[in-house]
Amino acid sequence: MANPDYRVLAAKAHDEAAAATLDNVRNRCLRSEAAFLAMARRQDQIEVSRALRERGGNPA
């Protein structure tokens, strides 16, 4: 199963926020952007942890 590219989704939400004319829509898009960026950071942490585990926990 492929993981979504959360940074692309965050950029899209950011662009939508910039184009929004209503405050509530802009705020929703900015919250989405923040959530996608948090998911991207978590995904990075998981990938690093997985790589370390697969190497036997020894850093390079």
Side-chain angles (χ1 to χ4, degrees):
M1 173 188 241
N3 293 324
D5 189 341
Y6 293 117
R7 285 183 178 76
V8 169
L9 295 171
K12 183 177 181 236
H14 179 82
D15 292 343
E16 290 173 357
T21 57
L22 298 174
D23 287 340
N24 62 328
V25 174
R26 184 179 308 105
N27 290 337
R28 183 191 68 215
C29 293
L30 292 174
R31 285 192 308 272
S32 294
E33 178 189 20
F36 285 133
L37 290 173
M39 287 185 262
R41 285 190 297 274
R42 180 68 181 138
Q43 189 176 51
D44 291 343
Q45 291 171 342
I46 290 168
E47 289 173 4
V48 167
S49 295
R50 183 176 295 133
L52 284 172
R53 189 173 56 247
E54 288 174 356
R55 282 199 315 247
N58 297 324

